[in-house]
Amino acid sequence: MALRLAISKANKEDWLCEHMFIMGIKPEGKNRTTYFTGAYPSACGKTSTAMVPGQSVVGDDIAYIRPGEDGRAYAVNIEQGIFGIIADVNPVDDPIIYKVLTSPRELIFSNVLTVNGATYWLNMGKELPEEGSNHYGEWKKGMKDDNEKEITAAHKNARYTVRISELDNADLNADNPNGVPVEGIIYGGRDSDTSVPVYETLSWPHGVFTGACLESETTAATLGAEGVRTLSPMANMDFLVVPLGTYIKNHLKFGEELDKEPKVFATNYFLKEGGKFLNEKVDKKIWLLWSEGRVHNEYDAIETPIGLIPKYEDVKTLFKQVFSKDYSEEEYIKQFSIRTTKWLDKMNRIEAIYKAEEEIPQIFHDHIEQQRTRLKKAAEKLGKEVISPFDFE
């Protein structure tokens, strides 16, 4: 309710109330912190992105973004804590959160397994007890529900809540009432077959368009069947109390009135081939560092029909520096190829949904048609449905 009221107020007063994390990205060897906000639908990597090791967190869920006196956007977090899905949190992929959740402090858990006061959840990196108390009541391994479906030790949608001040990576400006300058915005969905791991949008309006086209494949964290692709504009659709057209217009206007609008990026950690993910969970750190470098004009990029993607040598170098890992051309091609047919299918889905909405600004429809035209021209020119990133250089 508070978020819905704030969204209403923001749209009347020309600022943004967003379902976004706020984090500081800190490249190694460079004495700077670059602040980003990010919107991700549930179970798409929002909290884990805000908690990438070596970075700092201001907030993981809500951002009030207002224009500053210097013509830049500033964001504040109005919450004390973070709230996330606990399934899959483990000491390798999520060391900061795992440490907090497994050491004494004030915590709130829901739908986990408890045994003698200890807490357990799915895929936490160690073997789970075979009996205890959980969302079903008194539980033993192998128990089934009324539909003969096996009951898991903890619920797939189990959650945790903890104060930001308990985190080792809490940013020094976490409670700064003046906020932090926003230099980048990330929109991230769950997409198994279309989008690349990271790309930069072509402009502020194209960034707003990209956020308004945000899709996610449903998981156990959402109501209804799993695996259904749903539209989730700015990951904020569930809380909107103004018409979608008004909300998009306000985003466009907000950036137009800034002297320096943030760069806008899109991420996708869930691209698959043959049922297997093409990215490691920790790879998101590379995509963050590349985006931060783009803000400071440290990396060139390749222009494609969807936006600007990284050059191979840049991400190869980052993988070597950060993880001491050899990142191959084969991996790069699989991850950053433009799947034109899949993208055209997406444009058709988005167009059908937005045609049913009233007062969507014309620039949004223009971007659908422009992106569709760019995709078709590239496919026709190169004679391919799936285009290697090297073909655009």
Side-chain angles (χ1 to χ4, degrees), residues 57-360:
V57 62
V58 177
D60 84 320
D61 199 41
I62 307 295
Y64 286 11
I65 309 174
R66 296 176 181 267
E69 293 181 358
D70 60 357
R72 295 190 294 172
Y74 283 78
V76 296
N77 170 37
I78 46 78
E79 297 184 308
Q80 279 200 31
I82 65 170
F83 167 69
I85 296 168
I86 199 171
D88 301 324
V89 172
N90 65 76
V92 175
D93 300 324
D94 311 283
I96 297 170
I97 294 177
Y98 189 86
K99 175 185 175 183
V100 168
L101 298 180
T102 54
S103 55
R105 68 191 72 245
E106 187 176 37
L107 290 160
I108 299 173
F109 294 103
S110 66
N111 295 321
V112 293
L113 175 70
T114 59
V115 181
N116 298 324
T119 304
Y120 302 88
W121 55 88
L122 301 179
N123 304 321
M124 66 182 295
K126 66 181 180 181
E127 189 173 348
L128 303 182
E130 296 191 356
E131 59 181 80
S133 299
N134 66 6
H135 56 285
Y136 196 78
E138 293 303 314
W139 171 84
K140 289 186 178 181
K141 187 176 181 179
M143 286 181 66
K144 296 182 178 180
D145 62 18
D146 295 340
N147 296 317
E148 292 299 308
K149 185 176 181 180
E150 186 170 344
I151 301 165
T152 55
H155 199 282
K156 291 181 181 179
N157 198 21
R159 306 268 179 153
Y160 67 88
T161 301
V162 62
R163 287 189 177 90
I164 290 173
S165 58
E166 298 280 359
L167 301 172
D168 290 344
N169 65 332
D171 192 271
L172 295 175
N173 287 301
D175 295 322
N176 187 338
N178 295 318
V180 295
V182 180
E183 298 192 68
I185 295 174
I186 304 171
Y187 293 110
R190 176 178 283 263
D191 172 6
S192 62
D193 61 13
T194 304
S195 191
V196 298
V198 65
Y199 68 91
E200 179 187 334
T201 63
L202 300 173
S203 62
W204 176 261
H206 187 240
V208 173
F209 164 76
T210 299
C213 292
L214 188 57
E215 287 186 309
S216 179
E217 293 169 8
T218 54
T219 69
T222 51
L223 297 176
E226 293 186 38
V228 178
R229 207 177 296 253
T230 58
L231 180 69
S232 182
M234 284 74 171
N236 216 6
M237 191 68 173
D238 291 344
F239 306 101
L240 288 190
V241 290
V242 297
L244 187 53
T246 301
Y247 180 65
I248 293 172
K249 287 176 186 175
N250 195 43
H251 271 261
L252 291 166
K253 181 181 178 183
F254 182 83
E256 290 167 358
E257 295 184 351
L258 295 173
D259 292 334
K260 183 184 178 182
E261 69 271 18
K263 283 182 176 287
V264 183
F265 300 86
T267 61
N268 173 35
Y269 309 144
F270 304 96
L271 193 62
K272 291 182 179 181
E273 183 179 81
K276 295 183 178 180
F277 289 112
L278 292 176
N279 293 267
E280 299 290 336
K281 286 185 178 180
V282 294
D283 289 355
K284 60 175 68 74
K285 184 172 185 177
I286 303 300
W287 319 138
L288 286 178
L289 291 173
W290 178 80
S291 300
E292 194 272 348
R294 284 291 298 166
V295 167
H296 295 281
N297 300 313
E298 293 178 348
Y299 300 121
D300 290 330
I302 301 168
E303 185 169 341
T304 75
I306 64 167
L308 306 170
I309 62 173
K311 289 196 165 189
Y312 171 63
E313 290 299 328
D314 291 330
V315 287
K316 178 184 177 181
T317 299
L318 282 169
F319 270 104
K320 196 68 174 178
Q321 290 175 344
V322 176
F323 296 127
S324 298
K325 173 184 174 181
D326 291 323
Y327 181 72
S328 69
E329 283 192 11
E330 181 183 4
E331 289 176 289
Y332 174 72
I333 291 170
K334 284 183 177 181
Q335 293 173 6
F336 285 95
S337 287
I338 305 302
R339 296 157 175 83
T340 60
T341 301
K342 294 292 186 181
W343 272 101
L344 288 168
D345 289 344
K346 173 170 179 165
M347 293 299 97
N348 292 338
R349 288 194 303 271
I350 298 299
E351 184 177 51
I353 293 171
Y354 274 97
K355 275 186 175 179
E357 293 286 335
E358 296 180 358
E359 298 185 16
I360 301 298

